[in-house]
Amino acid sequence: MTFFKHLIVLTSVLKKISLAVFFFTFFHGLGQTLLVPDRVFDGETMHSGWVVAINGNKITYAGIPEGFKGSKGVTKISLPGMTLMPGIIEGHSHLLLHPYNETSWNDQVLKESPAERAIRGVVHARNSLMAGITTMRDLGAEGAGYTDVYLKKTIDEGIIPGPRLLVAGPAIVATGAYGPKGFHDGVSVPLGAETASGIDEVIKTVRRQLGNGASFIKVYADYRWTPGAPSQPTFLPQELEAMVATAASAGSYVVAHASTPEGMRRAIMAGVETIEHGDGGTLEIFELMKENNVALCPTLAAGDAIEQYGGWDKEKESEPERIKAKKVSFNLALKSGVTMVFGGDVGVFPHGENYREMELMVSYGMQPLEVLKTATSVNAKVFHLNNLGQIRQGYLADLIAVKGDPAKDILAIKNIKMVMKDGQMLKQEN
C-alpha cells in the first residue's frame, strides 16, 4: 500500500481527531515545535508575548521570541487570543465515582461491579484529560479495591488516554467508622475503604497498600460512626503516627480526610501532608497546619454540588448553612496563609467539570492568579512532582491553551482549546 493510501486509512480511523492534531502527531518527530500564544502563564507569573518551544516530551525554551534559537525544521503553531499554561493538576478526584444525583454513593459501592466502575473510569479519565487535567491525584477507589491502580497502569502503558495518576488505592478507615451503613449486624456489606485498628494492623495495612501499587496512603482521621451523626475522630494519635512513619519508611506519605478540629489536629501532629475538606477548621487549626507545612485541599465544589442535589437553587435561593460555614472556614484558611491545594472532589460532580473548584475558590475570596498557581506549580510542589506544574526549560511538556485570560476571568478556564501531554498533542481547536 502506498504512503497516501496509508494516510487515507489512518485519517479515516482518526476522523474524530482534528487534522491539526493528526498532522502534529505525525510530523512531531521531525524537529522542534514552537507554540506562539498571546500570553504564557508559566505556573507563577503571566507573560505577554512569550513563545514556548517543545522537542520530544520536554520544554526546550520559554521566553521572548528573540531569545529562541531554533534549528531548521521548526513547526510553528499559532494560538491567537489564547493563554498557554501548564497542564492542570487536579488534587482531589475519584475516577471510579460518578455524580450522586445519578446514583447514590451507597448504590455505587453496593450495586456497581468493579468492572463497570473501571469502564466508567476510562470515560472519566478521558473527559478529565480533554478538560485540561494532565495530572490527577485520585483519593481512593471507594469500594473498588485497587481498580484505580490498574487505571493508572493502563494509562501509563498507553492503552487508554488519561492524566498522569497518583492513586490512593482502597484508603484506610478505622474499624466501624465507614459505610455503607444502615444494615443489621447479620448483614455483611462491601465497604468503601479498608478497615484497620491497632498499631500492628495499621502498619500492616499501609505496607500492603503500598505493596499493591498505591502511590500514597489516604486515611480517614474523622468520620460519622452512625448514619446522620456528626463526624468524630477515628484513629488514635498513635495509630496515625504509626501510619505516617510506615509510609515514610517506604518512601511515601499520608494524606487525611478530616473535617473536625480534633480530627485535623491529630492528623497534623501525626505528620500527614495534606488535609482533605477541612470544613470545621478554625484559625488556630489552619495556623497549626501552616506551622507544620501541611496543605489544605478545601473541596468547595463537592459541598456546592451536594447542596444542589438536595434541592438548593443557587441562582434563586439564599445560601444553605453548609455553604455559609464553608465560606467562613475557607476565608479563615486564606487568612492563616496555609498552602492551598486545588482539588474539588470531582466524581461527586461530573468529571471534566473540574473548573468548578477554581470558580468557587475565586467566588469565595481567592485571587484568580493565586488559583492558577495552586492548580499548577503549587500542586506540583505539594505532590512531589519535580518536573511538572511550570513552563520551564527541561520540564515535561504537559501544556494547555485557554481562550482568553484566566488570570483576569477565571471562567476562561472552561474554554480549553489545546491539550498536550508528554509532548503529544491530544486536542487542538481554533
Side-chain angles (χ1 to χ4, degrees):
M1 187 181 289
T2 67
F3 168 82
F4 290 105
K5 287 183 179 179
H6 277 296
L7 189 59
I8 291 169
V9 171
L10 189 55
T11 303
S12 176
V13 171
L14 300 175
K15 61 184 179 180
K16 293 184 179 181
I17 303 176
S18 72
L19 286 176
V21 173
F22 168 72
F23 283 113
F24 176 89
T25 303
F26 193 82
F27 292 110
H28 186 49
L30 297 180
Q32 284 187 301
T33 300
L34 189 67
L35 303 174
V36 187
D38 278 13
R39 65 197 70 82
V40 172
F41 172 65
D42 65 5
E44 296 179 349
T45 305
M46 189 70 76
H47 306 273
S48 294
W50 269 28
V51 297
V52 175
I54 311 297
N55 197 349
N57 69 341
K58 297 288 183 65
I59 297 168
T60 56
Y61 178 79
I64 59 174
E66 293 79 7
F68 174 62
K69 308 298 182 184
S71 57
K72 292 182 178 180
V74 174
T75 301
K76 181 178 176 182
I77 297 179
S78 295
L79 302 168
M82 300 184 200
T83 300
L84 186 70
M85 58 182 283
I88 298 168
I89 301 173
E90 167 65 61
H92 190 128
S93 68
H94 294 281
L95 279 172
L96 300 172
L97 292 178
H98 58 103
Y100 296 173
N101 64 335
E102 298 174 359
T103 307
S104 70
W105 181 86
N106 270 23
D107 282 353
Q108 291 186 50
V109 174
L110 295 173
K111 297 180 180 180
E112 294 178 358
S113 72
E116 176 185 347
R117 295 178 68 187
I119 293 167
R120 289 182 180 274
V122 172
V123 177
H124 298 158
R126 185 187 183 281
N127 289 346
S128 300
L129 186 61
M130 292 300 102
I133 310 299
T134 55
T135 301
M136 175 179 285
R137 193 175 64 151
D138 193 275
L139 268 289
E142 303 288 321
Y146 291 91
T147 303
D148 56 349
V149 171
Y150 299 115
L151 275 177
K152 170 179 167 55
K153 181 176 183 290
T154 53
I155 291 171
D156 289 346
E157 293 177 355
I159 297 170
I160 63 171
R164 302 172 188 275
L165 293 185
L166 304 169
V167 297
I172 304 175
V173 295
T175 303
Y178 205 53
K181 282 181 174 279
F183 305 90
H184 69 74
D185 61 359
V187 176
S188 178
V189 299
L191 297 178
E194 185 173 1
T195 61
S197 285
I199 302 297
D200 291 345
E201 192 167 298
V202 298
I203 290 173
K204 182 184 292 185
T205 304
V206 168
R207 288 173 174 164
R208 178 171 51 250
Q209 291 196 0
L210 292 174
N212 284 336
S215 309
F216 59 94
I217 297 297
K218 178 188 177 182
V219 302
Y220 284 77
D222 52 31
Y223 207 74
R224 300 178 294 274
W225 287 95
T226 56
S231 290
Q232 298 288 348
T234 53
F235 290 108
L236 298 175
Q238 299 92 327
E239 292 173 311
L240 290 169
E241 290 165 7
M243 287 189 278
V244 169
T246 303
S249 71
S252 188
Y253 57 92
V254 176
V255 306
H257 166 115
S259 60
T260 65
E262 178 59 17
M264 293 172 71
R265 188 190 66 79
R266 292 186 189 183
I268 295 161
M269 299 314 296
V272 305
E273 296 205 353
T274 66
I275 295 289
E276 309 300 312
H277 312 303
D279 292 15
T282 63
L283 181 59
E284 179 185 7
I285 288 292
F286 292 132
E287 289 175 342
L288 186 66
M289 290 177 66
K290 182 182 180 183
E291 180 183 338
N292 287 274
N293 198 31
V294 178
L296 173 68
C297 186
T299 64
L300 308 177
D304 182 84
I306 289 170
E307 288 299 321
Q308 291 185 72
Y309 299 158
W312 174 43
D313 185 341
K314 65 184 297 182
E315 301 300 324
K316 298 179 181 179
E317 299 175 357
S318 61
E319 294 173 341
E321 288 304 313
R322 176 177 182 172
I323 300 299
K324 292 178 181 177
K326 188 67 173 179
K327 282 188 173 182
V328 169
S329 69
F330 184 72
N331 277 275
L332 289 175
L334 289 176
K335 182 179 180 181
S336 75
V338 66
T339 298
M340 289 286 188
V341 166
F342 161 74
D345 210 352
V346 62
V348 175
F349 56 97
H351 293 274
E353 296 185 10
N354 310 64
Y355 57 79
R356 290 191 189 188
E357 183 73 7
M358 291 193 201
E359 292 180 36
L360 289 173
M361 292 175 93
V362 171
S363 175
Y364 286 16
M366 204 168 176
Q367 293 301 310
L369 188 64
E370 295 304 310
V371 173
L372 294 178
K373 291 179 186 178
T374 297
T376 53
S377 60
V378 173
N379 274 8
K381 181 179 180 181
V382 173
F383 303 159
H384 310 282
L385 303 170
N386 297 325
N387 56 359
L388 291 170
Q390 296 185 58
I391 297 180
R392 294 178 58 181
Q393 184 177 349
Y395 276 49
L396 291 175
D398 282 15
L399 303 168
I400 63 172
V402 178
K403 192 73 173 179
D405 185 351
K408 294 181 178 178
D409 179 7
I410 200 64
L411 294 176
I413 205 70
K414 297 166 64 171
N415 200 359
I416 305 293
K417 294 296 186 181
M418 187 203 86
V419 176
M420 176 184 288
K421 178 191 168 192
D422 205 33
Q424 296 297 310
M425 187 74 78
L426 303 173
K427 175 180 180 179
Q428 188 182 356
E429 301 172 355
N430 295 327

